[in-house]
Amino acid sequence: MTVDLSSLNDLQQRAVKSTDGPVLILAGAGSGKTRVLTYKAAYLISNGVSPEGILCLTFTNKAANEMKTRILNLINQQPATYNPLPTMGTFHSVCAKILRQDGHLIGLPPSFTIYDENDSIDAVKQAMAALDISTQKNSPFAIRQTISGAKNEMIGSLEYPRFARGFYQEQVAKIYLEYQKILEKNKAVDFDDLLLLVVKIFQNYPATLASYQIRFHYILVDEYQDTNPVQYLLTKMLASRYRNICVVGDASQSIYMFRGADFRNIVNFKNDYPQAKVFNLEQNYRSTQNILDAAYSVISKNTTHPILKLWTDNPRGEKINVTEAKNEEEEAEFVVQKVTELGLPLSHFAVLYRTNAQSRILEEIFLKHHLPYILIGGIRFYERKEIKDILAYLRLILNPADTVSKSRIEKIGKTRAAHFWEIVSEIGTSPSDYSTLELLDKVVEKTNYLEYIDDGTELGKARVENVKEIRSVAEQTPQLAQFLENVALVESEYSSDEKLKKSTKDAVTLTTLHQAKGLEWPVVFIVGMEEGLFPHSRCLLDPAQMEEERRLCYVGLTRAKNLLFLTRTRQRLYFGTRSNNLISRFLIDIPEDLIESNSQIAGPPGEQFLDNISISADEDDWLDA
């Protein structure tokens, strides 16, 4: 049995044929990294390596299943007739199998239960109840995230108190200990334990580790830039006998620092294995050269990780369209206009943005034009819990007899409900004496609602931004009754839009840049290219986070295959405040000869943009601005 490698380019073939010893494949966006990893597994099998001796680690079950199907195709076998296959799965699924077999060494029975995120949060709540710690003042979700972060750094419940600093972490230390007791009593593990307990077994039982080292002669790891410290250590331990480890990744696409991913693992790989063979897969099969050059101009400013200079045999393609609009509404209208003009199937288009809150105006304009859309990894703006909470408060101000809204605010908390009714008494029968924005701000302040939803996690921060974004709608509609009526109309359009989507089965994708990773579209719009929005304001003073923002921009740019549109506004109503934002530094990084500028504003096309683009500024200048 042989595997035909003729469809691979020369460098890909060399990477596939380098089977023995450590191999690092730095694979740029659209360079066929998964293809290379799949061919490598099939090539090993075709050269006599037992499939049982190969371990393939991925980050999603979907990726593992795709790899399995591709390998079977390459070796010309059907699932029913070919057995065994390499061990393929996510880090968590592989570790779960190890624990089923060897968990007894640390007192874990084979019948243990795996708690998902909701189960884990329920266990945190039980721990807090046992310790008489309020779940109203301390978010169980945030505490669960903090415990997860500790486990990813391999800090157990007994060690955590030594690292705890400040009241919050001291509270977490107590809860962490109680939480682990509950898991042990229930013979359960959470997702983080799946990894951490396997490391514990390997560290305490060398013979068990040796059995897996002997079993897995070859270890292949996908998306290595997304590994956290536990995953990094696991692969290192498993590979330490034969050192036949091949990892594929691209530090420039590492965008999950907030989840514990550490792009430095790629740099550490070369330190751990100085003799490693390194292959830079720089030929891109997805995008035009103009798009690749624009992406490189942004990512090349990063200095802490390897940067690949991508090239392609594809045409140079159209220039990057950079459009300046008057405001966010005109920006969204421009997107709809271009989608309509180009006349391609709607599924060929994606609109990417930095924050979930930005979807609000896009959704409203798409609904206005009856243009079907889907949200990836998100919930429609007016269906998000925090927005529905705020709307319930405001509906009760206008109509205190609304029992549905009353029931909702009571679930938020009786104390907050009491503070809210104080507002209603203060306003009396004349809510029309106050603007919608004044009423909204009163509610948020009096009920401490932002404190309620801001648990310190990324999700909590996104919820806060959504509440601030509803201020933008309130600012535009001063009369509360009209505001609520307009919201109701948008909500009603959601249902008709669902019917439209079902009838057409074709829709534009709206999603955040984070959710876009791993996907591609012929035409991509990235909206909101302004300082403070993208890059995000939280990252402006942190060099490490700014590099992550650059990587995020790089990921967004390289999602486009044929056409790329970047938009910004002169003024933006954001969080209820209209502001004039500076042009994003990422736009300034793109050379003028790659850009076709366009202005939606009356006057010479692109004049404002070209004035800005000619500014010579480095990042220090921006921080001083």
Side-chain angles (χ1 to χ4, degrees):
M1 177 181 63
T2 58
V3 173
D4 182 9
L5 303 181
S6 61
S7 64
L8 303 179
N9 65 41
D10 179 63
L11 200 58
Q12 288 173 330
Q13 290 187 34
R14 286 166 52 198
V16 166
K17 291 177 179 178
S18 296
T19 55
D20 294 333
V23 175
L24 171 60
I25 302 175
L26 295 175
S31 64
K33 65 177 180 60
T34 305
R35 180 181 175 84
V36 170
L37 209 60
T38 303
Y39 268 86
K40 195 176 189 74
Y43 183 80
L44 286 168
I45 295 171
S46 71
N47 281 272
V49 175
S50 169
E52 293 176 303
I54 303 172
L55 172 64
C56 301
L57 293 169
T58 67
F59 274 83
T60 66
N61 287 315
K62 179 183 177 183
N65 291 331
E66 285 180 359
M67 190 175 291
K68 177 180 177 180
T69 301
R70 290 186 188 185
I71 290 173
L72 287 169
N73 289 334
L74 288 172
I75 60 178
N76 298 313
Q77 296 289 341
Q78 298 299 318
T81 61
Y82 192 82
N83 191 47
L85 274 170
T87 298
M88 289 180 284
T90 65
F91 279 90
H92 292 93
S93 66
V94 170
C95 285
K97 292 176 183 176
I98 293 174
L99 285 179
R100 295 288 182 200
Q101 181 171 321
D102 298 298
H104 64 90
L105 294 171
I106 54 174
L108 192 66
S111 59
F112 68 84
T113 300
I114 301 174
Y115 278 1
D116 63 18
E117 193 63 21
N118 290 329
D119 296 328
S120 299
I121 291 173
D122 287 341
V124 167
K125 290 177 181 177
Q126 288 182 32
M128 294 173 73
L131 296 168
D132 197 26
I133 296 175
S134 170
T135 56
Q136 293 294 320
K137 296 181 180 178
N138 303 276
S139 164
F141 179 82
I143 290 168
R144 164 66 191 134
Q145 292 293 97
T146 304
I147 292 172
S148 176
K151 289 185 177 184
N152 287 334
E153 293 289 337
M154 294 175 289
I155 302 173
S157 59
L158 296 178
E159 294 83 19
Y160 189 83
R162 299 205 313 266
F163 298 94
R165 298 291 182 272
F167 178 75
Y168 174 74
Q169 290 186 2
E170 289 170 0
Q171 291 284 84
V172 171
K174 297 175 187 176
I175 297 167
Y176 190 178
L177 283 166
E178 187 65 27
Y179 170 75
Q180 285 303 122
K181 290 179 184 177
I182 291 171
L183 293 184
E184 290 171 15
K185 179 183 176 182
N186 295 347
K187 296 180 173 57
V189 299
D190 60 27
F191 264 60
D192 302 306
D193 285 332
L194 291 173
L195 309 182
L196 196 58
L197 294 179
V198 170
V199 167
K200 182 178 179 180
I201 290 172
F202 286 171
Q203 289 174 332
N204 295 326
Y205 297 90
T208 302
L209 171 60
S211 70
Y212 285 100
Q213 291 172 335
I214 292 170
R215 175 179 173 182
F216 297 127
H217 277 64
Y218 294 90
I219 299 171
L220 313 179
V221 188
D222 196 11
E223 302 285 8
Y224 194 68
Q225 78 280 349
D226 291 334
T227 53
N228 62 28
V230 183
Q231 293 160 335
Y232 171 78
L233 181 58
L234 268 171
T235 55
K236 186 177 178 181
M237 294 172 83
L238 287 169
S240 62
R241 177 178 289 262
Y242 297 114
R243 300 171 74 82
N244 293 328
I245 180 171
C246 174
V247 303
V248 180
D250 181 9
S252 295
Q253 296 187 76
S254 179
I255 59 173
Y256 298 126
M257 185 165 60
F258 62 92
R259 294 181 188 169
D262 191 346
F263 69 87
R264 291 171 296 186
N265 288 344
I266 285 181
V267 178
N268 290 336
F269 186 89
K270 291 192 286 186
N271 294 333
D272 293 335
Y273 307 101
Q275 76 281 29
K277 297 175 184 176
V278 180
F279 297 92
N280 293 342
L281 301 187
E282 296 178 310
Q283 182 174 359
N284 175 281
Y285 294 92
R286 175 190 299 155
S287 306
T288 66
Q289 191 63 53
N290 277 338
I291 291 172
L292 297 179
D293 289 347
Y296 180 76
S297 69
V298 173
I299 195 63
S300 61
K301 294 292 184 71
N302 279 5
T303 60
T304 58
H305 56 81
I307 307 292
L308 300 177
K309 184 76 166 68
L310 301 184
W311 61 275
T312 183
D313 283 334
N314 294 335
R316 174 151 288 278
E318 299 291 329
K319 291 188 176 183
I320 315 304
N321 182 295
V322 176
T323 294
E324 179 189 70
K326 292 178 183 177
N327 51 45
E328 69 286 348
E329 184 173 340
E330 190 178 73
E331 180 182 53
E333 289 281 2
F334 169 76
V335 172
V336 170
Q337 173 194 334
K338 282 298 175 184
V339 168
T340 305
E341 282 180 2
L342 289 169
L344 299 170
L346 297 182
S347 59
H348 283 35
F349 298 91
V351 187
L352 313 182
Y353 37 84
R354 177 63 180 85
T355 68
N356 267 305
Q358 289 171 262
S359 78
R360 194 267 307 173
I361 186 63
L362 289 164
E363 290 185 65
E364 291 186 6
I365 298 300
F366 271 61
L367 288 168
K368 170 185 169 184
H369 290 277
H370 305 291
L371 194 63
Y373 68 91
I374 57 171
L375 279 169
I376 293 182
I379 302 171
R380 293 175 184 267
F381 184 79
Y382 288 108
E383 292 175 349
R384 294 168 191 169
K385 177 188 179 300
E386 57 275 14
I387 299 303
K388 294 179 82 68
D389 286 349
I390 294 299
L391 292 175
Y393 283 125
L394 295 176
R395 284 172 179 144
L396 273 175
I397 290 176
L398 191 66
N399 177 18
D402 182 351
T403 57
V404 173
S405 294
K406 182 179 180 182
S407 175
R408 186 176 189 94
I409 73 160
E410 287 175 349
K411 290 178 182 177
I412 299 171
K414 293 182 179 179
T415 302
R416 287 186 171 83
H419 289 318
F420 168 74
W421 289 116
E422 290 174 10
I423 298 174
V424 175
S425 298
E426 175 189 329
I427 293 170
T429 58
S430 305
S432 59
D433 291 343
Y434 301 84
S435 72
T436 306
L437 188 57
E438 288 173 325
L439 293 171
L440 192 156
D441 286 344
K442 276 180 179 289
V443 167
V444 171
E445 181 181 0
K446 192 77 173 179
T447 62
N448 287 321
Y449 187 77
L450 294 185
E451 180 183 300
Y452 167 64
I453 59 174
D454 188 3
D455 53 19
T457 65
E458 289 298 315
L459 179 58
K461 292 171 185 174
R463 285 172 171 164
V464 169
E465 289 182 343
N466 287 333
V467 171
K468 290 181 177 178
E469 178 59 18
I470 196 68
R471 295 183 79 252
S472 298
V473 187
E475 196 272 342
Q476 291 177 308
T477 318
Q479 294 299 315
L480 180 59
Q482 185 184 353
F483 165 83
L484 293 173
E485 180 181 324
N486 290 347
V487 169
L489 290 172
V490 172
E491 289 178 310
S492 70
E493 286 175 348
Y494 280 168
S495 58
S496 62
D497 179 63
E498 284 297 326
K499 294 176 183 176
L500 179 61
K501 274 201 306 183
K502 289 177 182 177
S503 65
T504 61
K505 295 183 179 180
D506 191 26
V508 177
T509 298
L510 306 183
T511 187
T512 64
L513 287 146
H514 281 100
Q515 291 287 343
K517 187 173 182 290
L519 303 174
E520 61 182 46
W521 296 270
V523 185
V524 168
F525 297 83
I526 303 181
V527 299
M529 298 293 291
E530 299 145 36
E531 287 291 295
L533 190 52
F534 191 35
H536 198 283
S537 57
R538 292 198 301 266
C539 308
L540 296 179
L541 298 177
D542 186 329
Q545 289 198 36
M546 182 56 69
E547 288 216 348
E548 179 110 342
E549 289 289 287
R550 282 191 179 279
R551 293 193 289 271
L552 188 58
C553 185
Y554 175 81
V555 166
L557 298 174
T558 54
R559 297 312 91 195
K561 297 171 69 174
N562 303 317
L563 294 177
L564 177 61
F565 294 84
L566 308 177
T567 67
R568 65 175 292 255
T569 64
R570 274 194 184 178
Q571 287 191 337
R572 184 176 296 275
L573 182 61
Y574 196 55
F575 299 164
T577 303
R578 189 161 295 284
S579 58
N580 299 307
N581 294 330
L582 289 169
I583 184 173
S584 169
R585 67 189 71 192
F586 302 149
L587 279 183
I588 289 183
D589 288 337
I590 301 175
E592 287 186 52
D593 61 355
L594 297 179
I595 288 173
E596 176 187 37
S597 60
N598 177 39
S599 176
Q600 294 292 96
I601 303 168
E607 182 177 287
Q608 166 84 13
F609 175 77
L610 291 174
D611 286 342
N612 284 332
I613 204 75
S614 63
I615 297 173
S616 175
D618 58 26
E619 294 196 359
D620 291 335
D621 294 327
W622 281 107
L623 298 179
D624 292 338

